[in-house]
Amino acid sequence: MGILEKISEIEKEIARTQKNKATEYHLGLLKAKLAKYRAQLLEPSKSASSKGEGFDVMKSGDARVALIGFPSVGKSTFLSLMTSTASEAASYEFTTLTCIPGVIEYKGANIQLLDLPGIIEGAAQGKGRGRQVIAVARTADVIIMMLDATKGEVQRSLLEKELESVGIRLNKHKPNIYFKPKKGGGISFNSTVTLTQCSEKLVQLILHEYKIFNAEVLFREDCSPDEFIDVIVGNRVYMPCLYVYNKIDQISMEEVDRLARKPNSVVISCGMKLNLDYLLEMLWEYLALTCIYTKKRGQRPDFTDAIILRKGASVEHVCHRIHRSLASQFKAPAPSTVRSGWA
């Protein structure tokens, strides 16, 4: 039995198993096995001798945004509208067959936008060159999931499932679990909160499935077995995602209002160029970028050339962006004279 067949069998068993106290250990083991097989599926084949064409392009600009969606949802049209890059757009599916980069210039920042080929159901298993598409998405700072507003919620749930199966966690934070394998001493289990989804026995069963018999585990929040498995595997990517519903000019106002009120969602129309400015504002917020303006002593600040950094960056980061040797010579001002947004 191949890996795909094993994954299918485990998914079917999880679906038909009732969720209750009596089955939680069985379900935990099944989820651990499923994560192991999915990790094996993503590993490149050692027997493959021919080199395939990759999609990845050199990372440039201040941030990278990946456009993901099913074929013919408007990704290429969106790229052409937001950047100076012309991506071929047509009424038939799979117009885009490779990764096409563009640059959005907004608030002095250069944001790299990648138009990826449309993915289909089963992309995580390699269908439709889905692995290459998803591999590029893992390198992005934000994912824009382009959806067809006329198709309802079907596309969103399918895409979330595909990305979830390859270790991409959308709009989630990394579980606050301390995990450290040891050479001996058995499994040390502790928690600082009351656990309602995991128990010490379940944690031990999952660790044994991964052939881990000596480790320190500390739960600092109430996490599920899936989140604990993510911590063990260690290759999960946590990133913000914007759900962008295109073609709102083809649905009713009531449906537009319903979609617009969903969390992490923006409604647009590329055909009629509706709400694109608000999408840019939301994208800037999700990228968590900030503009730093410098000034020479005795002169007015230069607002024409900003230094783009992530929110939370320190004065040291600004010094490194100006020149690597500046940080060692920099004399920090007194705390009372530091103002937010100024270097």
Side-chain angles (χ1 to χ4, degrees):
M1 186 184 290
I3 294 178
L4 286 175
E5 289 78 11
K6 290 179 181 178
I7 289 175
S8 179
E9 285 296 318
I10 293 174
E11 286 177 339
K12 288 176 183 176
E13 188 170 351
I14 290 175
R16 63 172 176 258
T17 302
Q18 291 184 348
K19 293 179 176 64
N20 53 50
K21 280 283 183 184
T23 61
E24 65 177 4
Y25 301 122
H26 179 60
L27 284 172
L29 280 176
L30 289 176
K31 289 174 179 178
K33 288 180 180 178
L34 185 61
K36 280 177 64 179
Y37 288 134
R38 282 176 173 169
Q40 291 175 22
L41 193 65
L42 292 174
E43 291 174 1
S45 176
K46 295 179 181 178
S47 61
S49 57
S50 60
K51 293 184 178 179
E53 182 187 351
F55 286 152
D56 204 7
V57 295
M58 184 180 291
K59 197 167 186 177
S60 65
D62 300 298
R64 170 180 277 196
V65 177
L67 270 174
I68 280 187
F70 282 99
S72 295
V73 294
K75 298 189 299 297
S76 298
T77 307
F78 178 76
L79 179 79
S80 301
L81 283 173
M82 306 303 286
T83 71
S84 57
T85 305
S87 183
E88 185 181 355
S91 58
Y92 54 86
E93 295 186 346
F94 297 105
T95 313
T96 304
L97 298 175
T98 186
C99 177
I100 300 175
V103 177
I104 300 174
E105 296 178 359
Y106 186 69
K107 291 186 177 180
N110 292 324
I111 302 168
Q112 187 181 45
L113 184 65
L114 301 180
D115 178 17
L116 297 170
I119 64 177
I120 58 176
E121 189 175 359
Q125 283 78 42
K127 292 182 181 178
R129 304 187 77 180
R131 287 189 197 174
Q132 293 99 316
V133 174
I134 292 170
V136 176
R138 289 175 69 95
T139 67
D141 298 305
V142 169
I143 286 179
I144 289 182
M145 190 180 289
M146 190 71 75
L147 305 165
D148 190 336
T150 63
K151 300 287 179 66
E153 299 299 313
V154 179
Q155 291 186 341
R156 176 170 173 168
S157 58
L158 286 173
L159 285 171
E160 284 178 336
K161 182 182 176 183
E162 294 296 328
L163 296 177
E164 186 88 9
S165 65
V166 295
I168 297 177
R169 303 291 181 254
L170 303 178
N171 297 322
K172 293 180 181 178
H173 69 276
K174 190 174 181 179
N176 194 359
I177 300 174
Y178 174 77
F179 170 71
K180 183 181 180 181
K182 299 187 299 182
K183 292 183 179 179
I187 294 173
S188 172
F189 176 84
N190 286 293
S191 65
T192 59
V193 295
T194 304
L195 300 181
T196 60
Q197 304 175 70
C198 275
S199 64
E200 185 174 356
K201 182 182 176 182
L202 179 57
V203 166
Q204 289 179 348
L205 285 171
I206 293 172
L207 289 173
H208 290 170
E209 180 63 32
Y210 281 91
K211 303 293 188 290
I212 299 172
F213 303 99
N214 302 286
E216 277 186 57
V217 180
L218 173 62
F219 278 70
R220 294 192 180 100
E221 64 179 353
D222 187 16
C223 296
S224 66
D226 293 308
E227 291 173 320
F228 179 58
I229 291 169
D230 287 346
V231 172
I232 296 172
V233 176
N235 64 349
R236 305 310 192 212
V237 179
Y238 300 85
M239 62 175 63
C241 174
L242 261 177
Y243 301 97
V244 178
Y245 292 89
N246 189 24
K247 305 180 183 180
I248 58 169
D249 51 303
Q250 300 177 22
I251 59 176
S252 65
M253 285 298 297
E254 291 77 10
E255 182 67 7
V256 171
D257 185 63
R258 187 186 71 83
L259 293 175
R261 292 179 184 276
K262 295 179 74 68
N264 309 305
S265 300
V266 179
V267 293
I268 66 166
S269 171
C270 290
M272 300 184 69
K273 301 180 181 178
L274 296 175
N275 213 28
L276 297 178
D277 51 348
Y278 177 68
L279 173 56
L280 275 179
E281 290 178 17
M282 289 291 291
L283 182 59
W284 179 266
E285 184 179 326
Y286 274 60
L287 285 169
L289 297 175
T290 185
C291 297
I292 308 294
Y293 298 97
T294 59
K295 65 183 291 293
K296 292 182 180 179
R297 189 174 296 174
Q299 297 183 17
R300 296 185 64 81
D302 180 13
F303 291 111
T304 59
D305 188 16
I307 298 173
I308 308 298
L309 292 172
R310 297 284 171 145
K311 284 184 180 175
S314 65
V315 175
E316 185 178 0
H317 291 107
V318 180
C319 293
H320 281 301
R321 284 293 296 270
I322 297 171
H323 197 276
R324 281 180 292 179
S325 64
L326 185 61
S328 59
Q329 305 166 7
F330 187 83
K331 185 178 179 182
S336 59
T337 62
V338 175
R339 290 184 294 174
S340 176
W342 295 92

